[in-house]
Amino acid sequence: MKNIAFIGMMGSGKTVTSRIVAEKLGMNYIDIDDCLVARMGMPISVAFITLGEKTFRDYEHDVMCEVVWQDNFVISCGGGIPLHKRNMDLIENFIKVRLTASPEEIYNRTKDDFSRPLLKDNSPQKIAGMIAEREEAYSKYADITVSTDGKTIEEVADEVIRELKKLGR
């Protein structure tokens, strides 16, 4: 049974959808961001500012190294993980599910969430720029892509499971 990794832009629904998919498939669940918070002893927003992005990304990679050897699990990756080949090499044999959402949808989901350091100056225009910058990496690694716009979490999870079944998962 292949492990599954959720990738995509922050605010696309990776955390909640991956948790539901894991539950429905009877798999274990790991949220990389939760592991990072536990490892660093501080919220991601504080770590990003205090430690800087490079050190934060090193912690992120270390956490990935620790969790990828497990079997029968779904991981929710932070939005920046696919931007670094060394992270994606670790999950090369995983089925990678990319969730997408429009800049407006991400804005509406994250506008009151101050825990996301890269969205502190949040606007649909800034989000559109970030999506454009990350598009190549996200699309390169995705085995499955599902839009979350205008759908409930249950609808997205069910669509992901249907797509996984098409891949023989």
Side-chain angles (χ1 to χ4, degrees):
M1 179 177 313
K2 277 196 169 191
N3 291 328
I4 302 165
F6 278 73
I7 62 172
M9 187 69 182
M10 58 193 98
S12 63
K14 297 182 307 288
T15 299
V16 291
T17 304
S18 59
R19 186 176 291 126
I20 291 171
V21 167
E23 187 177 295
K24 288 185 173 207
L25 295 177
M27 298 176 75
N28 298 312
Y29 171 76
I30 297 174
D31 185 303
I32 297 299
D33 286 349
D34 288 348
C35 294
L36 275 166
V37 169
R39 164 69 65 83
M40 296 181 301
M42 63 183 91
I44 288 175
S45 57
V46 173
F48 213 86
I49 294 165
T50 308
L51 304 173
E53 185 170 0
K54 184 194 179 317
T55 301
F56 173 81
R57 298 295 178 201
D58 289 341
Y59 272 104
E60 192 172 55
H61 180 72
D62 291 347
V63 167
M64 291 284 292
C65 289
E66 290 175 13
V67 303
V68 297
W69 58 269
Q70 300 178 51
D71 288 325
N72 194 42
F73 76 103
V74 175
I75 64 171
S76 176
C77 296
I81 284 177
L83 305 179
H84 303 279
K85 185 179 182 311
R86 67 182 185 159
N87 293 331
M88 298 312 288
D89 287 346
L90 293 171
I91 58 173
E92 180 180 11
N93 295 319
F94 286 45
I95 296 172
K96 287 160 291 297
V97 177
R98 176 189 180 193
L99 297 184
T100 64
S102 69
E104 295 76 22
E105 186 81 24
I106 291 173
Y107 173 77
N108 288 329
R109 292 176 185 169
T110 63
K111 64 184 174 189
D112 298 321
D113 182 353
F114 302 104
S115 68
R116 300 170 190 268
L118 291 177
L119 291 180
K120 67 177 183 256
D121 301 321
N122 201 356
S123 72
Q125 294 77 20
K126 180 178 179 188
I127 293 167
M130 288 181 70
I131 291 171
E133 289 170 7
R134 295 173 175 212
E135 178 60 32
E136 183 179 344
Y138 287 158
S139 61
K140 173 183 178 179
Y141 294 113
D143 298 307
I144 294 170
T145 299
V146 173
S147 171
T148 63
D149 284 347
K151 298 175 187 169
T152 67
I153 296 163
E154 285 290 328
E155 290 170 332
V156 173
D158 289 343
E159 185 174 342
V160 167
I161 291 170
R162 282 192 303 276
E163 293 298 318
L164 288 167
K165 287 179 180 176
K166 288 180 188 176
L167 290 179
R169 167 66 188 79

